[in-house]
Amino acid sequence: MSLFGKIFGGGGKGGKGPSPQEAIQKLRETEEMLTKKQEFLEKKIEQELQTAKKNGTKNKRAALQALKRKKRYEKQLGQIDGTLSTIEFQREALENANTNTEVLKNMGFAAKAMKSAHENMDIDKVDDLMQDITEQQELAQEISDAISKPVGFGEDLDEDELLAELEELEQEELDNTLLDVGAENVPLPNVPSTSLPSRPAKKEDDEDDMGDLKRWGMEAI
């Protein structure tokens, strides 16, 4: 059995393969296992490095053995890094494929629902129905216009006569306005502050006239 067969638990020929969800779950478990293995190897590498440093001058053989083990651990760590990259790529591909499958499934479901909704619809009947609706809307508009139109009032009036009458009214209003303004601007005479001399009596006037005549006659002699 192949490595992927062991991971996914696949059977022999004719056996049903795992679902995308099952495969994704298995890959996540494998990633978790390898990550823990990485952490273990990193600790071992650090321990062997410290051992080599400790025995570098005292026990060269022990130091060399520690460095050899360190190299093996580093090699394993590199292999795990590559395996994790491969598994991560495969998991992402499966997740995308699973998403696409779900999207297509839902789109197919919607298409079937739409087909079922349109199953009893005839395009010719739909066109006839829309035409009837349009005609009824136009008829309703005509009825509204007819109802809102005044009947028997103001239909025989001449608009030109009405305009002429309106101009006369405006001119009359303008004339009245000008008269009011002119009356407000004309100054009135002031009332005299001194009293006028009173007129002498008529008898006194006659006596004065006679005296003047006598004086004039004497002068003439």
Side-chain angles (χ1 to χ4, degrees):
M1 186 178 295
S2 64
L3 174 62
F4 288 111
K6 292 180 181 179
I7 295 175
F8 299 146
K13 294 182 179 180
K16 185 177 180 180
S19 66
Q21 293 84 354
E22 293 174 346
I24 291 171
Q25 181 61 31
K26 290 292 184 180
L27 288 174
R28 290 187 181 278
E29 293 174 358
T30 304
E31 283 182 291
E32 184 178 357
M33 178 190 66
L34 292 176
T35 300
K36 292 180 179 180
K37 183 67 174 178
Q38 272 185 325
E39 295 175 354
F40 172 77
L41 289 174
E42 288 173 353
K43 291 180 179 179
K44 296 295 291 183
I45 291 171
E46 182 63 25
Q47 291 176 358
E48 296 300 336
L49 180 60
Q50 294 298 326
T51 301
K53 289 180 178 180
K54 182 179 180 180
N55 297 304
T57 56
K58 299 178 181 179
N59 190 345
K60 292 185 178 181
R61 183 175 180 179
L64 290 174
Q65 292 296 328
L67 291 176
K68 287 181 181 179
R69 289 191 297 270
K70 173 179 170 294
K71 291 294 182 182
R72 289 198 304 269
Y73 293 149
E74 289 176 346
K75 185 177 180 180
Q76 293 178 24
L77 185 61
Q79 291 174 346
I80 291 176
D81 288 339
T83 303
L84 279 172
S85 297
T86 302
I87 291 176
E88 183 179 0
F89 175 80
Q90 189 176 21
R91 176 178 55 78
E92 291 176 352
L94 275 172
E95 288 175 346
N96 291 334
N98 185 46
T99 300
N100 293 334
T101 300
E102 291 297 323
V103 170
L104 289 175
K105 184 188 299 184
N106 292 334
M107 291 177 65
F109 181 78
K112 290 180 181 179
M114 187 176 295
K115 183 178 180 180
S116 177
H118 294 162
E119 186 175 1
N120 297 324
M121 290 187 181
D122 186 352
I123 187 63
D124 294 332
K125 293 182 180 179
V126 173
D127 290 337
D128 293 340
L129 177 61
M130 295 305 299
Q131 186 175 359
D132 291 341
I133 292 174
T134 302
E135 292 177 355
Q136 292 302 318
Q137 289 177 342
E138 293 176 353
L139 179 59
Q141 184 63 42
E142 292 177 359
I143 293 173
S144 298
D145 294 340
I147 292 174
S148 61
K149 185 177 180 181
V151 178
F153 179 76
E155 294 184 357
D156 297 333
L157 297 178
D158 189 353
E159 186 174 355
D160 293 336
E161 293 181 359
L162 295 176
L163 291 174
E165 184 177 353
L166 178 60
E167 290 179 358
E168 292 178 0
L169 294 174
E170 292 176 349
Q171 185 62 41
E172 182 179 352
E173 182 66 21
L174 179 60
D175 294 341
N176 292 332
T177 302
L178 293 176
L179 289 175
D180 293 339
V181 172
E184 293 177 358
N185 294 331
V186 174
L188 297 175
N190 296 327
V191 178
S193 59
T194 58
S195 58
L196 297 175
S198 58
R199 184 177 181 181
K202 184 175 181 183
K203 184 177 180 181
E204 293 178 356
D205 291 341
D206 293 340
E207 291 177 354
D208 291 338
D209 291 339
M210 291 298 295
D212 291 337
L213 290 174
K214 290 178 178 181
R215 287 193 298 269
W216 180 79
M218 290 297 292
E219 291 177 358
I221 296 173

